[in-house]
Amino acid sequence: MTQSLHSDAERAAELAAENRALRARMAYMLEQAERNHEIMMRHQAFDLEIVGATSFPDLVGSIFRTLPAISELESVTLALVDEDADIRTVMEKLGVDFAAFPDLLFVSGIDQLGFEVGARFAHASAPKPVLGMFDAARHGRQFPQPGKRLQSVAIVPLLRNKRIIGSLNLGSVDPTRFTPSLGTDFVEHMASIIAICLENVISNEMLKYIGLTDSLTGVYNRRYIDRRLLEEISRARRQQYDISFMYIDIDHFKRVNDTLGHGGGDEVLREVANRIKGELRLSDALARFGGEEFVVLLIDADLDSAAFVAERIRAAISASMIALSGGLQVSITGSVGVASLSGTGEATAEAAAKELIAHADEALYQAKSGGRNRVVRYSAE
Ligand SMILES: Nc1nc2c(ncn2[C@@H]2O[C@H](COP(=O)(O)OP(=O)(O)OP(=O)(O)O)[C@@H](O)[C@H]2O)c(=O)[nH]1
């Protein structure tokens, strides 16, 4: 009897201990489930945020701002394959400030990403994420500025239509965070959403760029200038500086076309665009308004300084013969009309823009009728 009582008490204590252990385990599992749910929710919010990004800087900005925080990572970088530097060039032309994204890297080929696979893997299996210890020699390129000492990394391919478009690079100070045996479904899912979003915004930006540039010369087109001029007029008024506008027209271009053919004329237009560009500052905008007419918008430049630049452009256009691909050389000149707008005007930006363009056009007309190969400043008299 004593024996049985003892064992009953012992059994009850054992059960109570088991119960406590089970409760603790359940509490732990519940905590884990809650934590996982929270992580999932944060990632869902992140997915929604990046899917909603409408521009390249919006998207990469969201990725670099949000992903390290929600994934508790010390470093997140993106490497994009940009073989001919087209993406970078177009984004720069659209005004993307790459200095704001030090963790955005461009590589000229997929061999620089560290996956053992060719650019297309139609008949091979898709490249998998590479997880493991951080190795400065191998991963230095992907993490050019790791703030803290990284211990483990995941290099996740960004895949679109059976092509590697780049890699998402995740770095942690925790050596156990990314180990080769870890499942990769989660990071692959994350990378697939990022890849779709990247491809989307990049093609949108490319389309935007094509819609704003002149396909023959690569400089901006009229649509771009019309839009930019309004923005610049508003800014010039807020900050009280002058802007100037010039019309540049190649003299007797019809003769060039008639003697060299349309193809020769096109070559001349491209060279003239290059010569004008060579005389401008980065903040100035050059466009072809159609035909043989170029325009330049100069920011924070009064009539004197604009006329000075115009004179340099006129000289550059006629400075040397233009060599054509067929071996011929041609000498040309250009006429320039310049007008300015002070930063203190009262008219609407639209009216001021129209007037500025009309004034420069009028000055150009005077340059033409005054004998060509000259710069004329607009004057109200
Ligand atoms: N090659 C080429 N020619 C063009 C293009 N667009 C317009 N043109 C030509 O540009 C010439 C413009 O001639 P005009 O407007 O008569 O003027 P111009 O001969 O330059 O004479 P001035 O301006 O008075 O000095 C025409 O021969 C057009 O065919 C183009 O995209 N490529």
Side-chain angles (χ1 to χ4, degrees):
M1 186 68 176
T2 330
Q3 175 75 34
S4 139
L5 262 180
H6 181 67
S7 63
D8 279 354
E10 255 179 11
R11 176 124 189 81
E14 257 169 35
L15 275 175
E18 209 171 288
N19 197 308
R20 273 198 304 279
L22 271 173
R23 276 172 186 276
R25 201 168 141 65
M26 273 187 61
Y28 174 73
M29 282 170 68
L30 197 66
E31 205 179 283
Q32 284 296 305
E34 274 169 5
R35 192 173 138 69
N36 286 343
H37 179 71
E38 198 190 305
I39 292 173
M40 285 248 311
M41 296 301 285
R42 278 190 265 157
H43 276 273
Q44 267 175 19
F46 171 68
D47 291 352
L48 279 179
E49 181 183 336
I50 61 169
V51 166
T54 52
S55 72
F56 185 79
D58 260 11
L59 175 64
V60 291
S62 283
I63 294 171
F64 292 138
R65 201 173 42 249
T66 313
L67 199 51
I70 61 166
S71 301
E72 293 167 11
L73 290 167
E74 280 65 37
S75 184
V76 169
T77 74
L78 272 178
L80 295 183
V81 179
D82 191 17
E83 273 161 29
D84 303 315
D86 290 343
I87 302 177
R88 207 189 153 98
T89 310
V90 166
M91 298 304 163
E92 261 166 2
K93 287 221 172 198
L94 291 174
V96 175
D97 174 17
F98 284 106
F101 305 116
D103 291 319
L104 177 65
L105 319 162
F106 288 97
V107 296
S108 56
I110 66 147
D111 51 315
Q112 294 164 45
L113 296 174
F115 304 112
E116 284 161 11
V117 64
R120 278 189 170 274
F121 46 90
H123 303 295
S125 55
K128 300 298 279 178
V130 180
L131 275 57
M133 298 304 284
F134 174 74
D135 171 0
R138 274 177 60 211
H139 305 121
R141 194 203 295 265
Q142 279 96 335
F143 300 95
Q145 44 158 17
K148 299 194 181 146
R149 281 188 64 83
L150 298 179
Q151 296 290 336
S152 66
V153 296
I155 311 296
V156 193
L158 295 169
L159 309 171
R160 284 304 293 149
N161 300 325
K162 298 201 170 289
R163 282 186 71 86
I164 303 180
I165 63 164
S167 68
L168 170 69
N169 311 310
L170 312 172
S172 171
V173 293
D174 176 358
T176 63
R177 179 69 187 267
F178 299 113
T179 56
S181 58
L182 200 75
T184 55
D185 286 358
F186 189 70
V187 285
E188 283 182 86
H189 171 79
M190 193 157 80
S192 69
I193 293 180
I194 289 178
I196 293 172
C197 293
L198 275 168
E199 196 182 58
N200 256 343
V201 292
I202 290 172
S203 36
N204 277 348
E205 301 277 23
M206 291 286 184
L207 279 179
K208 201 191 294 176
Y209 175 73
I210 290 167
L212 297 176
T213 49
D214 167 43
S215 58
L216 176 66
T217 58
V219 302
Y220 292 116
N221 61 18
R222 173 143 208 167
R223 189 165 342 141
Y224 174 85
I225 289 290
D226 283 344
R227 228 165 66 177
R228 171 98 186 260
L229 189 52
L230 293 182
E231 288 167 18
E232 293 297 348
I233 289 174
S234 305
R235 189 172 305 141
R237 284 179 174 169
R238 279 197 307 276
Q239 299 176 13
Q240 305 251 306
Y241 54 67
D242 296 352
I243 55 176
S244 292
F245 193 82
M246 61 175 92
Y247 255 110
I248 305 159
D249 189 287
I250 304 174
D251 297 327
H252 300 303
F253 190 64
K254 193 170 177 318
R255 275 191 222 154
V256 176
N257 257 343
D258 290 349
T259 47
L260 302 172
H262 210 73
D266 285 355
E267 282 187 62
V268 171
L269 287 171
R270 278 195 284 264
E271 174 59 17
V272 168
N274 282 336
R275 290 188 181 189
I276 299 172
K277 235 186 287 175
E279 303 302 323
L280 299 176
R281 287 187 301 201
L282 266 180
S283 57
D284 304 330
L286 166 64
R288 187 161 81 118
F289 257 27
E292 83 290 22
E293 215 164 59
F294 291 91
V295 299
V296 175
L297 170 62
L298 297 137
I299 311 304
D300 195 7
D302 61 15
L303 193 56
D304 277 348
S305 29
F308 184 75
V309 178
E311 184 50 41
R312 262 191 357 230
I313 289 174
R314 188 207 58 75
I317 290 174
S318 58
S320 57
M321 305 273 277
I322 296 177
L324 304 176
S325 55
L328 287 173
Q329 292 205 330
V330 58
S331 170
I332 55 153
T333 60
S335 300
V336 190
V338 196
S340 285
L341 187 72
S342 88
T344 54
E346 301 260 301
T348 61
E350 283 81 4
K354 233 173 160 178
E355 195 177 71
L356 180 64
I357 294 176
H359 286 170
D361 195 21
E362 198 177 317
L364 172 67
Y365 177 77
Q366 285 169 23
K368 288 279 182 187
S369 50
R372 297 182 174 79
N373 190 20
R374 68 195 57 211
V375 172
V376 170
R377 305 160 175 229
Y378 171 78
S379 109
E381 292 90 54

